[in-house]
Amino acid sequence: MRVVAGVARPALALLGLAVLAGCATGPVRIDPPTPQGAAAEGCAALTRVLPDELDGAARGETTPRSPYVAVWGEAEIALRCGVPRPAAMKPTDTVPEINGVAWYADPARPTLFTAIDREAYIEVTISREHAPGDVLFALAEPIKKAFPH
């Protein structure tokens, strides 16, 4: 893991992540982001190459259906691609790079991580039942494939 400088991007209005676990057989409710242009294309490509299983949790269904979201388990791990820049991130922040992807960890929300060094910001919420490092490491390859530098 190496540390890289934070990436400054225009401030965007923060979209809330509403992850509400549904019943064991139903889809998980996640508010999808609305990326545009190249970010939307990359996000759609990303959801097609994401793994069927992540840190022992099977990929599930979401509602509403969106090419910009994915979930594993009963909302144990949720990914939203094309979200706004993290509101708490400062241009001078340093972030860890895990397997070639820079991840900003929100200090106020210890289960929220955002990939910040790609065409789109990619937000991942990881429950305490999972090891964040393992999840972020596993997500790096699909992210690099969908958003090559």
Side-chain angles (χ1 to χ4, degrees):
M1 173 170 56
R2 81 182 164 109
V3 176
V4 296
V7 178
R9 307 258 178 148
L12 299 173
L14 181 62
L15 291 177
L17 171 64
V19 178
L20 303 173
C23 62
T25 60
V28 176
R29 168 97 176 125
I30 297 183
D31 290 335
T34 55
Q36 303 294 314
E41 291 172 21
C43 289
L46 174 60
T47 58
R48 288 191 300 269
V49 298
L50 288 170
D52 292 332
E53 186 175 293
L54 189 55
D55 200 36
R59 190 160 170 186
E61 293 186 27
T62 62
T63 187
R65 296 192 99 175
S66 170
Y68 312 127
V69 299
V71 67
W72 292 264
E74 291 295 315
E76 297 164 33
I77 303 168
L79 178 145
R80 296 186 337 133
C81 186
V83 298
R85 180 183 188 279
M89 188 173 76
K90 299 174 186 71
T92 56
D93 285 345
T94 56
V95 297
E97 185 177 277
I98 301 172
N99 195 17
V101 175
W103 292 97
Y104 173 75
D106 189 321
R109 297 171 63 194
T111 61
L112 178 65
F113 303 86
T114 306
I116 62 167
D117 62 343
R118 304 293 151 161
E119 181 71 26
Y121 291 106
I122 303 160
E123 179 182 271
V124 179
T125 306
I126 306 169
S127 74
R128 297 188 192 283
E129 288 83 31
H130 296 277
D134 293 345
V135 171
L136 301 179
F137 186 88
L139 288 173
E141 287 304 320
I143 289 171
K144 292 186 295 188
K145 185 174 184 177
F147 292 100
H149 276 157

